[in-house]
Amino acid sequence: MDIAQRLRLAFDAECREHLAAMRRLARRGAGAPDIADVFRRAHSLKGAARAVDRQGIETVAHRLESLLEHIQRGGLILDGAVERVIQTALDGIEDLAGGPDEAAMPLPVVAELDVLLAGTTQAGAPPPAVPEFAAAPAVPPPGSAPLAEPAVAAVEPARPVPTASPAPVHATIRVAAEHLDRLMVTSGRFLAQVTAQNELALQLRTLQQRLAALQRDWERARLAGRRHDGASGGADSLQAETQLAAIDKEISALVRGATQVVRDQKAGTWQLRLLVDQLQDDVRQARLVPAEEIFSGFGPMVRELAREQNKQIVLTLMGLEIEADRMILQALKDPVMHALRNAIGHGAEPAQARVAAGKPPAARVALSLTVEGTRLRLVIEDDGRGLDFARIRAKAVQDGLLDDAAETATEAELANLLLRAGFSTATAVDSLSGRGIGLSVLQETVARLQGDVDISANRPYGMRLVIRVPMSVVRSDLLLVRSAGQLYALPAHAIERVLRIHATALETVEGKPVLRLGDDALPMVALLTLLGTSDAALTDPDGNCAIVVLRSGRRRLAVVVDSLVEMRQAAIQSPPAGTDPAIAGTLLLQGGAPILVLSPHVLVAQRGAASAAALILAGASAQKEPPCILVVDDSITTRTLEKSILEAEGFRVRLAVDGLDALDSLRREPVDLVISDVQMPRLDGFGLLQAIKADPAFASIPVIMVTSRDSAEEVKRGMELGADAYIAKQRFEQQELLATIGQFLDGP
């Protein structure tokens, strides 16, 4: 799949997301937070449209952004008439997104927006300044610093005070979860039918083209016949001409009919897709519940366990106001509870032992939830005993999990052994730990939810679990691949990159093929080999191989397939009981043909581990590692474009969806340069810039700001906060971006 196709897919998905959210927010009334979010989304949509050269959408989004800015500043009242124009503008953007030639479709709503904007320019006093986002998060993200000494010896629910007014009477009703589950399955089948309609459209288009070709051939044959009959003459010639004319008329009618059917079918499919998107968005919203609703029992449970164990425990809960799919949260409830029980029984020391070790008497355990794009991130950490890597290594050797390579196993590899079923370093079995079940249940549950788990030491004390799962199960982004004639689906969130290379570009380590990415030598395994069906060849007859680089936690694997087919959005059905653990679910094509959805964790962390073991002693490449650039933008289209440009030049690229996500990424691993948008949710570009320049660990990192507003005041503010360079999206060009980066970094 080339960059143009990836950009189109990214823009289509982003456009649908923004439109659905803006419609919902604009309908709810004139709340200032809602209008600010609609404004931000219009701004993001404008930038995304510019990135893929959708000028019509960019024009409408730009005017809508200006109108919303005037509403924010008090220069225009959001009454019924203005709200109607906003909704009409969103309708216009939707029409443009689905049309073949937006440049030829001038919209009346542009004139309506211009009239409203002209009225705002004649207003009297200048509007008040727009309040900015906070410069830094109120609560540091987990992992940014050791856990502080507790302020209270109980449960600390670190949640913001709600600001929204209570819902009106009869605004909500109770719906049984099983009904929502059935509705989700139905919407998934609905989406499969939309995909089938797209395939039918391709068949109709082919039929139309064949009819048109037949008409051309017929016309040529008819002209040749006329010349022949004209030379011979006679009544037979006249009769033949009449028959030919009748056939010609019938063929022309068939061509016109086929053309009309293709046009109507395309329009109907587009409308059907809009309805499916709306239905799935409604289903997703209906299934969302605050995490507190499912996790509220953790506080009492911890207090009870602390009393039973005669330990002082302080549990800190953060982010429980975040909403996610009820099924996701419900599935995580028991495994997370097991992890908390492990932290108390396995990790927390008695008060006397903690004081002797220089720690406060009360052990700290924290559970925090944050959002990373479309995924939910849970972090469980404590300041207890931590991971005894010597004991883990010895137990692994005793159980036959490690052999002569035990001494070279990394901390990450040893820590991940704790996620295996039956593996435990506890010396005795009690009600809290010792059977090696809790963490393996967590691993299996998260893998089934298309997520991943990472376990590590929590410096200076304790252990840290990071869990990432989807926010919703209504719809997933999948990459379809083909191996031995069979289609398989790989979850897009676990795909680091896809590439097609020749066998001459591969290397070998200890006789095994590897893919060299920077300093890393990734083991290469055919997909069918991982599934245990056959030992497939890695290359086609021409010596080429299609590769999908999968990631699960900190592990990566180069998976070889026959071909890359397409990206698709679909609802995943649960697999039947007893299915191979590598099968995370299924989705249906037209005619009921199932596609197996594969589990990245099973493929990478379990079945790919044997291949990776041979590479432990491979050593690092002697060549210099390319510079790493962090791209921060809430627009998936812009992120995709910038990532493709930078990777094509050889840079390593990491992505973040907003300022908070970027800060968390920087704390986990530093970078050489940051490229950031200005308008973003949660923490905007100015807040991120201020936080970076105020932190001695990050202050030397160059920061390039990219904005589509290009106002003198904005540029001035960015420079005062320490921005190293500014690029305006209106004149954004690849060479300008690379030239600006070249001022701060040497090329790869």
Side-chain angles (χ1 to χ4, degrees):
M1 184 182 302
D2 60 24
I3 178 58
Q5 290 174 307
R6 291 203 301 271
L7 283 173
R8 282 195 297 271
L9 288 170
F11 177 75
D12 289 344
E14 182 174 2
C15 187
R16 287 195 301 271
E17 177 189 341
H18 285 318
L19 287 174
M22 286 193 284
R23 287 189 190 284
R24 188 168 60 250
L25 293 169
R27 282 196 198 104
R28 287 201 307 215
D34 292 347
I35 293 302
D37 195 26
V38 178
F39 167 80
R40 180 187 62 78
R41 288 182 177 275
H43 173 82
S44 297
L45 184 57
K46 178 185 72 173
R50 180 181 296 115
V52 293
D53 197 26
R54 301 299 297 269
Q55 296 178 8
I57 296 177
E58 180 187 350
T59 298
V60 180
H62 174 65
R63 283 169 169 78
L64 183 58
E65 176 192 25
S66 300
L67 181 70
L68 292 164
E69 184 175 20
H70 284 294
I71 294 173
Q72 276 188 296
R73 297 189 175 192
L76 186 66
I77 301 300
L78 180 59
D79 55 18
V82 174
E83 183 178 341
R84 180 190 61 78
V85 174
I86 292 175
Q87 294 291 349
T88 304
L90 298 178
D91 291 340
I93 292 174
E94 195 168 272
D95 291 340
L96 291 171
D101 185 10
E102 63 181 31
M105 298 172 63
L107 296 177
V109 72
V110 174
E112 294 184 62
L113 289 166
D114 285 341
V115 169
L116 287 175
L117 290 170
T120 61
T121 59
Q122 298 170 7
V130 181
E132 300 292 345
F133 287 95
V139 180
S144 59
L147 289 168
E149 186 171 345
V152 294
V155 178
E156 298 178 348
R159 298 185 294 272
V161 178
T163 56
S165 57
V169 179
H170 305 306
T172 60
I173 60 173
R174 287 185 177 273
V175 179
E178 61 183 287
H179 298 323
L180 287 176
D181 291 341
R182 286 201 295 268
L183 187 57
M184 182 197 69
V185 172
T186 302
S187 67
R189 291 173 178 168
F190 205 175
L191 182 60
Q193 287 302 311
V194 172
T195 304
Q197 287 295 311
N198 288 330
E199 295 170 353
L200 180 60
L202 293 176
Q203 297 174 20
L204 282 173
R205 178 65 177 166
T206 301
L207 179 60
Q208 178 194 19
Q209 292 170 346
R210 291 178 61 187
L211 279 172
L214 176 62
Q215 185 180 33
R216 291 192 297 270
D217 293 343
W218 167 252
E219 186 62 30
R220 284 193 293 268
R222 182 181 176 188
L223 289 174
R226 281 178 177 174
R227 287 193 294 270
H228 179 270
D229 292 342
S232 60
D236 291 342
S237 176
L238 180 61
Q239 182 179 3
E241 177 64 24
T242 303
Q243 292 174 342
L244 289 174
I247 296 174
D248 184 57
K249 183 177 180 180
E250 182 65 21
I251 291 177
S252 297
L254 282 173
V255 172
R256 288 195 302 272
T259 301
Q260 185 61 45
V261 168
V262 169
R263 186 180 298 117
D264 292 346
Q265 196 276 340
K266 183 178 181 181
T269 299
W270 174 249
Q271 292 299 323
L272 183 61
R273 180 57 189 253
L274 294 180
L275 290 173
V276 170
D277 288 342
Q278 187 61 55
L279 172 62
Q280 292 211 310
D281 187 59
D282 291 344
V283 172
R284 185 180 65 82
Q285 291 294 328
R287 293 173 62 88
L288 295 181
V289 296
E292 185 173 23
E293 185 173 316
I294 307 298
F295 294 166
S296 59
F298 289 160
M301 179 202 73
V302 168
R303 285 194 295 270
E304 180 62 27
L305 290 176
R307 282 193 292 269
E308 291 177 2
Q309 295 282 308
N310 194 27
K311 296 178 180 178
Q312 297 182 33
I313 305 292
V314 174
L315 174 66
T316 302
L317 303 174
M318 295 177 285
L320 294 191
E321 75 283 356
I322 290 175
E323 293 185 336
D325 193 303
R326 175 187 291 274
M327 194 195 89
I328 296 286
L329 295 173
Q330 196 67 50
L332 289 174
K333 181 180 179 181
D334 286 347
V336 170
M337 180 185 68
H338 279 300
L340 292 173
R341 291 166 65 92
N342 263 355
I344 297 169
H346 231 15
E349 314 97 322
Q352 185 176 359
R354 289 180 58 85
V355 171
K359 302 179 183 179
R364 292 289 299 249
V365 179
L367 168 65
S368 63
L369 283 74
T370 54
V371 176
E372 290 182 345
T374 61
R375 298 178 73 73
L376 182 66
R377 180 173 182 262
L378 295 85
V379 178
I380 303 170
E381 57 184 342
D382 63 70
D383 65 347
R385 296 185 179 90
L387 300 176
D388 187 336
F389 291 109
R391 180 178 291 183
I392 295 173
R393 181 180 284 107
K395 178 65 174 175
V397 172
Q398 176 185 329
D399 292 352
L401 299 177
L402 292 177
D403 48 21
D404 295 338
E407 293 303 319
T408 62
T410 65
E411 286 191 357
E413 291 166 336
L414 292 172
N416 277 313
L417 291 174
L418 296 174
L419 300 174
R420 296 178 64 98
F423 188 90
S424 176
T425 59
T427 56
V429 175
D430 57 27
S431 61
L432 290 185
S433 61
R435 294 181 176 86
I437 295 176
L439 291 180
S440 68
V441 170
L442 173 65
Q443 173 65 77
E444 292 166 5
T445 301
V446 172
R448 190 173 66 250
L449 295 174
Q450 297 296 327
D452 57 73
V453 179
D454 187 40
I455 183 171
S456 63
N458 187 39
R459 310 297 184 189
Y461 307 110
M463 188 179 78
R464 192 167 190 254
L465 271 171
V466 179
I467 305 163
R468 294 179 180 87
V469 292
M471 292 286 288
S472 173
V473 296
V474 172
R475 183 165 56 188
S476 300
D477 291 321
L478 302 165
L479 171 65
L480 300 189
V481 300
R482 192 181 301 277
S483 284
Q486 175 72 42
L487 281 176
Y488 298 93
L490 296 168
H493 72 84
I495 298 174
E496 184 172 298
R497 67 172 65 182
V498 295
L499 61 160
R500 186 175 178 82
I501 62 177
H502 195 268
T504 54
L506 301 178
E507 301 180 23
T508 59
V509 173
E510 296 187 356
K512 295 188 176 183
V514 297
L515 175 68
R516 182 72 67 176
L517 293 179
D519 285 352
D520 296 329
L522 304 187
M524 291 182 59
V525 187
L527 178 59
L528 293 182
T529 303
L530 291 173
L531 295 177
T533 58
S534 67
D535 291 327
L538 295 182
T539 60
D540 62 18
D542 296 326
N544 297 311
C545 54
I547 301 173
V548 181
V549 178
L550 291 179
R551 177 186 288 275
S552 178
R554 285 174 284 183
R555 291 180 180 272
R556 295 190 296 170
L557 183 68
V559 179
V560 182
V561 298
D562 291 348
S563 61
L564 308 170
V565 181
E566 64 176 359
M567 292 293 298
R568 178 173 296 189
Q569 287 187 326
I572 301 176
Q573 310 295 318
S574 298
T579 303
D580 183 343
I583 310 302
T586 61
L587 60 96
L588 297 179
L589 291 180
Q590 186 180 15
I595 295 179
L596 300 179
V597 182
L598 304 179
S599 166
H601 169 73
V602 174
L603 296 181
V604 178
Q606 295 182 8
R607 301 190 179 177
S611 299
L615 303 177
I616 292 177
L617 302 178
S621 170
Q623 61 187 113
K624 180 183 177 182
E625 190 174 35
C628 183
I629 298 177
L630 177 63
V631 173
V632 190
D633 202 302
D634 61 331
S635 166
I636 185 176
T637 307
T638 303
R639 293 198 305 271
T640 302
L641 175 62
E642 294 181 7
K643 182 174 187 288
S644 300
I645 291 173
L646 297 173
E647 287 185 340
E649 292 296 314
F651 292 106
R652 292 180 297 132
V653 181
R654 295 218 310 271
L655 301 176
V657 299
D658 57 29
L660 288 182
D661 191 21
L663 287 175
D664 187 46
S665 179
L666 286 172
R667 291 184 177 108
R668 283 186 278 112
E669 184 180 352
V671 298
D672 300 293
L673 183 139
V674 174
I675 301 175
S676 176
D677 189 21
V678 173
Q679 294 289 334
M680 295 183 293
R682 299 201 302 172
L683 184 65
D684 67 359
F686 291 138
L688 171 62
L689 175 61
Q690 189 172 3
I692 289 175
K693 296 304 180 180
D695 191 326
F698 308 139
S700 62
I701 299 176
V703 179
I704 300 174
M705 305 297 289
V706 180
T707 178
S708 61
R709 302 188 69 184
D710 197 22
S711 67
E713 294 81 5
E714 190 171 271
V715 174
K716 180 181 177 183
R717 183 181 177 201
M719 291 304 184
E720 289 175 347
L721 289 174
D724 296 275
Y726 240 97
I727 296 178
K729 289 182 181 178
Q730 284 90 337
R731 56 178 185 272
F732 176 87
E733 293 181 356
Q734 176 174 334
Q735 293 306 317
E736 180 184 2
L737 174 64
L738 295 175
T740 305
I741 293 172
Q743 298 174 19
F744 308 102
L745 298 179
D746 294 330

